[in-house]
Amino acid sequence: MTTSAAAAQYTLVQGHFFAHSLMLESIDEDSFTRSLSAARVDMNPHQVEASLFALKSPFGKGVLLADEVGLGKTIEAGLVMAQKWAEQKRRILLIAPASLRKQWEQELIEKFGLSSTIMDAGRYRDIKKDGSKQPFQAVKGVVITSYEFAAMKKDDLQMARWDLVVFDEAHRLRNVFKKNGSQRAKDLRDALREPFKVLLTATPLQNSLLELYGIVSIIDENHFGGGAAFKKLYTGAGATPASTEALRDRLKPICHRTLRRQVQEAGHIKFTKRNPVVFDFEPPDLEVKLYNAVSSFLQRKDTISYGDRANQLVILQIRKILGSSTFAVTQYLETLIGRLEKMQTADTAMTDDIDTMEEIVEEASADENGDTDDDETLIDPLKLAAELTELRGFLDLARSIGANAKGEKLIDQLPLVLDGIVAKKGARKAVIFTESVRTQTYLSELLSANGYAGQIVLLNGSNNDAGSQEIFRNWIAQHGDSDRVSGSRTADMKAAIVDAFKSDEKTILIATESGAEGINLQFCSLIINFDLPWNPQRIEQRIGRCHRYGQKIDVTVVNMLNLKNQAEFRIHQLLRNKFKLFEGVFGSSDEVLGTIERGVDFEKKVLDIVQECRTPEDIDKAFDALQADLQDTISAEVASARAKVLEQFDADVVARLNTRKDSGLFAPDLAEICLSGHRRVRTIATRHCHWRHLARGTRRARLGSVQRRSDYQHL
């Protein structure tokens, strides 16, 4: 068969398809433009610049993308993954904090049309039961897993042949160089030496230049010639202006960092601010009595419920509930009493009220087990009877409290703060965050009874309430024939709830962390933390749902503050003054947040204070020490070193960003791409037919395996 005869067998659309596929075989900027055109996201020049930096060295071992917080490292990594996928390099592993896995899953499908699979213990077991010996290799799409689970399954990861590995929040790996450093980081480094890696972090250097060596060693242990050479050349007596310049030059091929001020000077993003507001309240005597009684019970070492060596995660769970609402406490006590009556003690699985507990348990899995072993010990019946009597007294007290001062304060102040948002030309909308699903139900009922009936939507891990189910059914009926329906019920439920909240009929979204992961709410500019997590990373994620690229006005962040609770007061003070979470521009907290490798570690520090301190004076002393410890990690000397080494790669960054903008690569014209393909179709399709005839096997399989909609949606 002649090549001209073969070409005649293809339609115009098929010719477009083959031409497009051929162009994706390369990694030049023309082929990258096709990945940009397929992405459903409004990109900025600095994001394209970073993505091209990661793609320009296919024979390198990896790159570090270190843009400051708020500049869209997720988009940069997504573009790299989309391009690799388009090049048929589809064995992609994404390692992220447990709390960010669902957010990544949502972002990949919404922005890049990339399907993904979250690999956790449950899914791993299910795949094993189905007969697959290598679960990581058995699933389709991008594989998303947590740092903890990835390290546990290091042997599986090493056996898989990955085309690309992405580490989100990669500063968790920076202490890998230390002899007593994170074993988790060492395991991941050893298991994933071979694949090309993209590391994402805004804080690659926090306390010492050696951390920079550590994080780069994840990519290439020999990039700096080893740890001894790095110390000699760049630290201590070797640290001179000339050595700093040499270090910057050595980093250029492997590290890309853009600053907010550079993007702002180029005029690409208008950064909005955060405005903090406090709704303080004083609970009545009955609420204080309940809190103090349960708190004292938790501090004891002689209870059957928790034992003398209580699992920290079990205590953390009830502490979160205790600070949320008496309605959540009531149901927890009911569950605990029910367990004791069956001779069972407390564990993290006894309630689904805190719908992030599964992630918290996984994050702490390397440190301790999620459950206690007290069920196997003998229980004194007389002691059990006395404890049940005590707990039933707590329960009677909780049930006697008809209203919560915190809820009443919200009802009183909400209209005023909503009016303030409208006065700034924002939408009359508010996102109210709580850690408790039971408190979420209480708030929905309270607000509905006080003028907001029919204006509320809920978002949590299950959304099995009648209102959410109706919203979901209507959304599916409206979008069932469109590409908005992903097929993932979790993702589609979130999309349905967000669309409902965005409509004119809804004013309030009441959300838990688990429910809000991965959603974008930049059309809303009011966030209310009804209860405040002790994990500052989770608070940043909450605020980041609204305070993000695309937000038009300054965001108001409201915190509820109990004036009669010294521990809560000091926690809020710490988050406000040291972490600077509630005011400023994007990333105002990134320097301090970077000191925390795992949020659960910080929560445990706060829990230790709450559990051990009996008096306000003890609490103040302990929090003073914690604040001093944080302050020590943010020295002016290290900040100066970071600026000299990481923030001055090129004097003309702004000029380069403007050049990228003028080139049009960051926003390719779809019609021009299609016309360009049409003009070239006959020649390329003819060449393709001849080429395909000569090399059938692998090339035919590659062209025939194009599955992702964005691979061909512009045709």
Side-chain angles (χ1 to χ4, degrees):
M1 180 187 297
T2 65
T3 56
S4 59
Q9 295 181 12
Y10 293 96
T11 66
L12 181 63
V13 172
Q14 288 172 322
H16 273 299
F17 172 77
F18 291 136
H20 170 67
S21 299
L22 285 171
M23 286 184 282
L24 286 176
E25 296 296 330
S26 66
I27 58 165
D28 60 16
E29 293 196 2
D30 285 339
S31 72
F32 184 53
T33 299
R34 274 63 184 177
S35 290
L36 294 178
S37 71
R40 288 170 283 183
V41 61
D42 182 15
M43 279 163 285
N44 283 279
H46 71 274
Q47 293 162 343
V48 174
E49 189 79 16
S51 303
L52 285 171
F53 176 85
L55 290 164
K56 72 181 181 181
S57 181
F59 302 109
K61 294 186 177 182
V63 296
L64 171 62
L65 300 184
D67 287 2
E68 282 190 295
V69 169
L71 295 183
K73 287 185 291 296
T74 300
I75 293 174
E76 295 167 2
L79 286 171
V80 174
M81 285 186 272
Q83 178 65 15
K84 292 293 184 182
W85 189 277
E87 295 170 15
Q88 307 297 312
K89 297 174 182 177
R90 299 186 171 183
R91 293 295 301 151
I92 301 174
L93 175 67
L94 170 60
I95 301 176
S99 62
L100 296 180
R101 293 172 301 181
K102 292 179 183 177
Q103 180 174 326
W104 267 105
E105 179 186 43
Q106 191 84 357
E107 298 268 328
L108 288 177
I109 190 65
E110 284 188 354
K111 290 182 168 60
F112 303 99
L114 287 171
S115 62
S116 59
T117 299
I118 294 177
M119 184 64 72
D120 55 16
R123 177 152 307 185
Y124 186 92
R125 285 194 301 268
D126 291 343
I127 296 174
K128 279 274 194 178
K129 287 179 182 177
D130 290 339
S132 175
K133 295 181 179 180
Q134 298 296 331
F136 280 93
Q137 300 179 53
V139 297
K140 296 180 179 179
V142 178
V143 180
I144 303 174
T145 192
S146 69
Y147 278 88
E148 290 73 28
F149 193 72
M152 287 171 55
K153 302 300 179 184
K154 57 183 183 296
D155 294 337
D156 289 34
L157 296 185
Q158 190 168 14
M159 284 188 285
R161 293 185 176 274
W162 302 103
D163 296 314
L164 172 67
V165 177
V166 177
F167 289 93
D168 189 24
E169 303 288 349
H171 51 264
R172 291 176 172 227
L173 306 170
R174 64 183 172 221
N175 290 323
V176 68
F177 68 94
K178 294 182 178 179
K179 185 177 181 180
N180 60 344
S182 167
Q183 185 60 46
R184 185 180 299 111
K186 296 179 191 295
D187 289 342
L188 292 174
R189 177 198 60 195
D190 296 342
L192 297 167
R193 290 181 189 275
E194 298 304 320
F196 186 88
K197 291 172 279 290
V198 174
L199 276 59
L200 309 175
T201 177
T203 54
L205 165 59
Q206 190 63 48
N207 304 312
S208 163
L209 273 178
L210 284 170
E211 293 176 343
L212 192 58
Y213 163 76
I215 198 167
V216 170
S217 73
I218 296 292
I219 299 171
D220 183 355
E221 289 184 85
N222 298 314
H223 184 79
F224 292 114
F230 186 93
K231 288 181 181 178
K232 181 178 180 180
L233 292 172
Y234 307 119
T235 65
T240 64
S243 71
T244 300
E245 186 68 28
L247 178 56
R248 284 170 51 195
D249 290 340
R250 196 78 186 93
L251 280 170
K252 281 184 179 180
I254 204 169
C255 179
H256 185 283
R257 182 171 174 87
T258 304
L259 309 181
R260 289 185 301 275
R261 61 173 175 79
Q262 293 168 337
V263 176
Q264 199 161 18
E265 287 172 17
H268 298 150
I269 295 180
K270 177 183 180 294
F271 292 105
T272 59
K273 295 181 179 180
R274 300 174 182 180
N275 297 321
V277 174
V278 173
F279 290 173
D280 54 43
F281 63 95
E282 296 190 24
D285 292 342
L286 284 181
E287 286 189 55
V288 175
K289 182 179 179 180
L290 175 66
Y291 180 93
N292 290 337
V294 176
S295 182
S296 296
F297 181 82
L298 294 173
Q299 290 177 322
R300 282 165 40 190
K301 305 294 185 182
D302 63 344
T303 65
I304 295 173
S305 299
Y306 299 101
D308 61 344
R309 292 173 298 179
N311 185 316
Q312 277 189 305
L313 299 181
V314 179
I315 298 294
L316 181 62
Q317 181 186 44
I318 178 57
R319 282 288 179 185
K320 287 174 179 285
I321 292 170
L322 186 59
S324 184
S325 70
T326 60
F327 303 93
V329 174
T330 297
Q331 293 185 54
Y332 185 89
L333 289 171
E334 290 172 348
T335 304
L336 179 58
I337 290 169
R339 286 184 65 87
L340 286 177
E341 289 173 341
K342 296 177 182 178
M343 309 293 281
Q344 297 174 333
T345 58
D347 69 14
T348 57
M350 64 180 283
T351 175
D352 58 357
D353 189 31
I354 306 298
D355 64 3
T356 55
M357 276 309 298
E358 183 179 345
E359 294 172 1
I360 294 171
V361 170
E362 179 170 333
E363 192 173 8
S365 60
D367 306 320
E368 57 180 273
N369 295 320
D371 299 328
T372 61
D373 297 323
D374 293 345
D375 288 353
E376 300 177 3
T377 62
L378 294 176
I379 296 177
D380 182 344
L382 293 178
K383 185 177 180 181
L384 175 63
E387 188 162 317
L388 282 170
T389 299
E390 185 177 16
L391 289 171
R392 288 176 183 133
F394 297 161
L395 180 58
D396 290 341
L397 176 59
R399 287 171 173 169
S400 71
I401 300 173
N404 278 192
K406 184 160 60 167
E408 297 300 315
K409 186 70 173 186
L410 176 64
I411 292 297
D412 182 57
Q413 295 295 312
L414 184 57
L416 299 177
V417 73
L418 283 171
D419 288 344
I421 295 297
V422 173
K424 294 191 292 186
K425 303 190 183 304
R428 191 177 185 83
K429 294 183 182 295
V431 183
I432 302 176
F433 279 105
T434 175
E435 291 198 284
S436 163
V437 177
R438 292 165 182 164
T439 298
Q440 185 184 46
T441 301
Y442 152 67
L443 286 172
S444 179
E445 294 171 354
L446 178 68
L447 290 163
S448 294
N450 285 273
Y452 297 95
Q455 302 177 46
I456 300 168
V457 289
L458 306 180
L459 195 52
N460 54 52
S462 61
N463 274 108
N464 54 14
D465 61 286
S468 297
Q469 295 295 320
E470 182 179 1
I471 289 172
F472 181 67
R473 286 192 298 270
N474 293 338
W475 187 85
I476 290 291
Q478 181 181 355
H479 299 288
D481 296 329
S482 72
D483 62 358
R484 291 211 62 197
V485 179
S486 71
S488 164
R489 190 185 184 282
T490 301
D492 290 340
M493 174 62 81
K494 287 185 177 182
I497 296 297
V498 170
D499 281 358
F501 179 46
K502 196 172 184 178
S503 69
D504 294 337
E505 290 77 25
K506 304 299 182 183
T507 302
I508 297 170
L509 170 65
I510 309 175
T512 63
E513 267 87 8
S514 177
E517 286 172 354
I519 63 173
N520 298 328
L521 302 172
Q522 54 266 60
F523 58 87
C524 175
S525 52
L526 173 58
I527 297 162
I528 299 174
N529 290 310
F530 189 77
D531 40 51
L532 203 59
W534 297 349
N535 181 348
Q537 292 169 341
R538 284 215 178 267
I539 299 172
E540 185 66 32
Q541 289 164 27
R542 282 183 177 187
I543 300 173
R545 298 303 95 222
C546 297
H547 191 227
R548 59 192 301 111
Y549 175 66
Q551 177 61 251
K552 303 300 182 185
I553 67 172
D554 291 348
V555 171
T556 299
V557 182
V558 175
N559 296 311
M560 312 291 297
L561 185 58
N562 183 348
L563 295 179
K564 290 186 177 180
N565 188 313
Q566 181 67 6
E568 283 191 19
F569 179 83
R570 290 303 305 268
I571 291 167
H572 176 266
Q573 183 184 61
L574 181 65
L575 296 170
R576 181 192 66 211
N577 296 340
K578 296 302 177 186
F579 286 97
K580 304 184 185 300
L581 290 169
F582 308 124
E583 56 189 324
V585 297
F586 281 118
S588 58
S589 56
D590 63 339
E591 285 190 2
V592 192
L593 282 177
T595 67
I596 304 173
E597 292 190 1
R598 301 191 307 162
V600 71
D601 294 334
F602 187 80
E603 285 187 294
K604 287 179 179 179
K605 291 180 180 179
V606 174
L607 180 63
D608 286 341
I609 294 174
V610 174
Q611 281 293 99
E612 298 301 325
C613 297
R614 264 56 176 182
T615 67
E617 292 76 21
D618 290 340
I619 292 172
D620 275 337
K621 185 177 180 180
F623 272 105
D624 286 344
L626 183 56
Q627 287 193 186
D629 181 57
L630 277 174
Q631 189 62 44
D632 290 343
T633 66
I634 315 164
S635 69
E637 180 181 350
V638 174
S640 175
R642 179 169 50 240
K644 290 176 182 177
V645 173
L646 288 174
E647 299 180 359
Q648 299 177 22
F649 279 160
D650 294 303
D652 62 342
V653 172
V654 175
R656 289 193 297 107
L657 292 181
N658 281 325
T659 299
R660 174 69 63 202
K661 179 179 180 181
D662 294 339
S663 73
L665 181 57
F666 78 104
D669 184 270
L670 211 57
E672 177 57 31
I673 291 171
C674 293
L675 287 173
S676 174
H678 176 65
R679 286 192 292 267
R680 302 165 62 184
V681 67
R682 290 195 181 98
T683 301
I684 295 178
T686 299
R687 290 176 182 169
H688 166 73
C689 294
H690 180 60
W691 165 75
R692 184 171 181 249
H693 178 70
L694 294 175
R696 294 180 180 178
T698 303
R699 292 293 185 179
R700 177 185 293 176
R702 289 178 66 183
L703 286 172
S705 66
V706 177
Q707 298 172 356
R708 187 166 64 92
R709 177 173 60 252
S710 59
D711 278 353
Y712 53 83
Q713 70 177 36
H714 72 275
L715 298 176

